[in-house]
Amino acid sequence: MKNVMLLTLGALALSACTVAVRPGVSVTASSSNLIADLQPDRGEGSTYFVGERVRFRFTTRASGYVTLVSLDPDGYGNVLVRDTYVPAGTTLFPRPSDAFTFDLTPPRGVQRVRAIFTTNRATAQIVFSGRYDQNGWRTYTDTYLQPVGASQRDVAETFFTIR
C-alpha cells in the first residue's frame, strides 16, 4: 500500500501536503461565498516535517457537508473527509470525535488540500483516489458538484509543504 493519506489503525497518513492557492492553481469558482476559511493549523503555506500531524481549520457561513481531498506532490489524490456534516462556523479536522489523525508521510513537497462544501448532501458518487494532473483533479471536483445548485456549493483550496 502507498503512504499517501492512508487510513490505517486509526491514523490517516498524509503524504506531502501543501495547501494554498498559488499561481497556476485554479479552483472551481463559486459566487455563493459559503466557505470563509480553509487552512492548515500552522497557516497556509507553512512547513511540516514527515512524521508530524496536521489539522485543518475549516470555516463556513452556513451548515452543510464537506469533503476534503488532497493532492500529493506526486499527483496522487486522496479523500481525507467525505460528505461530513458541519455546522456554520469553524470546525477543526480531524475532530476530537474522529478515530483518525492526519500524519504526514513522503513524498515531500507541496501538498494541496481542497474543501468541497455543499448545503445539501452531494449525490455524485465520485472516487477521488488515484493519480491526477491539474485538469483531471479539477474535472473530478466539477463532476462532484455538478448536481448541486451554484448557490448551494463552494470550493476552497489551501497548501503546505512537507519536508
Side-chain angles (χ1 to χ4, degrees):
M1 250 183 163
K2 188 162 173 38
N3 289 10
V4 190
M5 297 257 212
L6 177 64
L7 185 60
T8 57
L9 302 173
L12 190 61
L14 229 173
S15 86
C17 201
T18 300
V19 184
V21 178
R22 304 179 337 220
V25 174
S26 63
V27 178
T28 303
S30 169
S31 60
S32 60
N33 202 26
L34 295 168
I35 298 174
D37 188 40
L38 170 65
Q39 60 181 292
D41 54 356
R42 293 183 188 166
E44 186 168 89
S46 56
T47 298
Y48 294 80
F49 291 91
V50 168
E52 290 187 309
R53 286 190 173 154
V54 64
R55 295 183 76 192
F56 297 98
R57 185 173 39 253
F58 178 67
T59 305
T60 63
R61 293 180 174 83
S63 58
Y65 299 86
V66 64
T67 295
L68 295 177
V69 293
S70 70
L71 188 63
D72 299 338
D74 61 0
Y76 280 93
N78 302 280
V79 175
L80 301 176
V81 175
R82 182 183 289 278
D83 206 23
T84 300
Y85 177 80
V86 293
T90 300
T91 302
L92 287 174
F93 286 103
R95 299 166 300 183
S97 62
D98 291 334
F100 57 86
T101 57
F102 299 133
D103 298 326
L104 301 175
T105 63
R108 290 171 167 84
V110 173
Q111 178 79 34
R112 295 169 45 198
V113 174
R114 186 172 285 182
I116 305 167
F117 180 79
T118 57
T119 56
N120 296 311
R121 227 168 237 219
T123 58
Q125 297 298 315
I126 301 294
V127 175
F128 285 99
S129 298
R131 187 176 207 116
Y132 302 99
D133 62 12
Q134 177 61 34
N135 291 331
W137 206 43
R138 184 176 33 250
T139 298
Y140 268 78
T141 301
D142 291 346
T143 302
Y144 186 79
L145 288 173
Q146 193 170 22
V148 182
S151 65
Q152 300 171 314
R153 66 183 188 216
D154 202 359
V155 177
E157 189 170 290
T158 189
F159 72 96
F160 63 92
T161 299
I162 297 175
R163 300 213 185 264

